[in-house]
Amino acid sequence: MNILIVSFPSSTSYIGGEEQIAKNLKKYLEPFHNVIISSREDLELHLDDIDFVLSLNIPIKIIRKKNIIWATWIFNTNLGSTAKEITNYNFDIYFTNSEIIHSQIKDSIYLEIPPSDDYLPSTRKIDSNTEILYLGNYNPEYKTVDKINHYLIPCLKYNFSIFGYKWKTIEQQEIYNQGRLSHEHITNIYNNFSRGLYPLIDCDIISQQSKLAINFHSPDQMTLDMINNRMYDLLLNGCFIITDDTLKQRRIFGDAIEYSSGGNDLNEKISYYLSNPHLINEKKEKAKILGKEIYDKNNYQIVSR
């Protein structure tokens, strides 16, 4: 079968989302199929002789269906936050890790584990004094007042680093103009603590970058019961994660990570774990084992489909 994976333009230097997932899928599908990766802009150039198109959550206006099966993998709200909005794109198959979306869309396939990223081992050692790391997402929907107040402000009293894009995109500026963020938050957090994009070559030693990592989900992801890819980036590479508390995460990750409602609760848990480094090391070991199990399960699901 000739498969075309539609992703964002690829980055060879820095950790990404969809582009790294595309490379990982290509690696595991190629023993069985011929696989091409394309951006949305170049999609029409590759459709000849293609049997199956898999979009990685990219909004695509399908004009020529031809004899191609069109599928998309949904792991955030790029295509919409309701079944009606999502199905307006007219895909034949919808892969999702949201039980809510799966129950509402007839032509959907539920896969509990979304695509995970695979990284080549790095030989470089990191000598870091960072206590807390946030593998920041540039998407504006994550940077709400509530999320910043509850999951980033408590980190400022510690040695804290953010890896990710700074506050520069048009969408983010619009949220600021709407009054959903304060200038103080933007300046104090994303300008003062951002360390740029995390280098891809060091992803497998990201657990050395800090003692613990913070993660949280956008409001839309919480509503649809999705899990963002950063959880798998961090888990697979043996990081100790404190994340926002959801039943789905507890079911999948168990005691390999810690959960918090944010604010004072997060501050207390950060303080507790930093005072007990042996517990952090125990969590990191559990994370690495579980991350490998999830990664292997995910790749088996992809290939078996």
Side-chain angles (χ1 to χ4, degrees):
M1 180 181 287
N2 295 317
I3 299 175
L4 177 65
I5 300 175
V6 184
S7 177
F8 290 114
S10 179
S11 168
T12 57
S13 302
Y14 300 100
I15 185 171
E18 287 82 354
E19 67 269 24
Q20 295 304 325
I21 293 169
K23 292 176 183 176
N24 186 46
L25 285 171
K26 178 178 171 69
K27 183 178 73 173
Y28 280 89
L29 288 171
E30 277 193 325
F32 311 93
H33 308 284
N34 178 43
V35 182
I36 300 171
I37 298 175
S38 171
S39 66
R40 176 175 56 183
E41 289 71 23
D42 295 334
L43 174 63
E44 290 289 327
L45 300 176
H46 300 286
L47 288 181
D48 292 339
D49 301 320
I50 291 296
D51 304 301
F52 188 92
V53 172
L54 175 61
S55 167
L56 294 180
N57 219 42
I58 312 295
I60 297 174
K61 187 175 182 180
I62 303 173
I63 299 174
R64 296 187 299 142
K65 275 216 167 185
K66 304 173 73 172
N67 293 319
I68 300 171
I69 297 172
W70 293 77
T72 186
W73 205 317
I74 304 168
F75 41 86
N76 61 35
T77 55
N78 276 6
L79 301 185
S81 55
T82 66
K84 183 177 181 180
E85 291 172 348
I86 293 169
T87 53
N88 279 340
Y89 286 95
N90 202 28
F91 286 96
D92 299 306
I93 301 172
Y94 299 86
F95 296 99
T96 180
N97 71 323
S98 166
E99 290 105 330
I100 296 172
I101 294 298
H102 177 52
S103 67
Q104 295 175 354
I105 299 178
K106 181 180 67 173
D107 299 315
S108 66
I109 296 175
Y110 179 75
L111 294 178
E112 185 167 272
I113 310 302
S116 301
D117 300 342
D118 187 20
Y119 305 107
L120 296 174
S122 171
T123 57
R124 191 166 77 86
K125 285 287 185 180
I126 294 176
D127 183 18
S128 175
N129 294 319
T130 300
E131 293 174 307
I132 306 171
L133 175 146
Y134 172 53
L135 195 57
N137 195 303
Y138 65 85
N139 294 60
E141 62 265 23
Y142 287 82
K143 299 183 176 79
T144 64
V145 172
D146 179 69
K147 292 294 184 178
I148 287 180
N149 278 339
H150 284 85
Y151 292 97
L152 296 184
I153 294 293
C155 299
L156 301 188
K157 62 194 294 185
Y158 302 95
N159 194 333
F160 178 49
S161 293
I162 293 175
F163 285 96
Y165 288 104
K166 290 187 178 181
W167 191 267
K168 291 182 178 179
T169 69
I170 295 173
E171 293 89 348
Q172 293 164 345
Q173 185 62 44
E174 286 178 354
I175 285 183
Y176 169 60
N177 292 339
Q178 293 166 9
R180 293 166 60 187
L181 283 177
S182 71
H183 178 73
E184 178 186 3
H185 285 168
I186 296 172
T187 302
N188 289 346
I189 297 179
Y190 283 92
N191 289 349
N192 294 349
F193 292 90
S194 175
R195 303 292 180 261
L197 295 177
Y198 196 83
L200 185 62
I201 193 172
D202 289 336
C203 282
D204 74 307
I205 54 173
I206 196 170
S207 62
Q208 298 177 25
Q209 183 69 57
S210 68
K211 294 179 174 64
L212 60 91
I214 296 296
N215 180 75
F216 54 87
H217 294 72
S218 70
D220 285 343
Q221 285 178 324
M222 298 283 280
T223 300
L224 294 175
D225 205 21
M226 293 177 173
I227 296 177
N228 70 42
N229 293 335
R230 290 296 175 260
M231 283 297 298
Y232 297 94
D233 292 325
L234 295 166
L235 193 75
L236 181 62
N237 295 298
C239 297
F240 168 44
I241 311 165
I242 302 181
T243 187
D244 43 5
D245 197 353
T246 66
L247 290 175
K248 183 168 186 174
Q249 289 186 105
R250 286 182 177 271
R251 186 181 76 232
I252 294 175
F253 304 126
D255 65 352
I257 65 176
E258 184 59 83
Y259 309 90
S260 175
S261 57
N264 290 334
D265 177 70
L266 177 60
N267 185 47
E268 290 173 3
K269 285 177 177 172
I270 290 172
S271 177
Y272 172 72
Y273 279 105
L274 290 179
S275 301
N276 293 277
H278 67 286
L279 296 180
I280 291 179
N281 292 332
E282 289 176 7
K283 290 284 190 180
K284 285 186 174 184
E285 287 300 314
K286 288 183 177 181
K288 202 156 197 174
I289 293 170
L290 180 61
K292 183 66 166 58
E293 290 175 356
I294 289 175
Y295 182 70
D296 289 343
K297 176 183 177 182
N298 176 51
N299 290 324
Y300 173 77
Q301 287 180 312
I302 294 168
V303 172
S304 64
R305 291 288 175 180

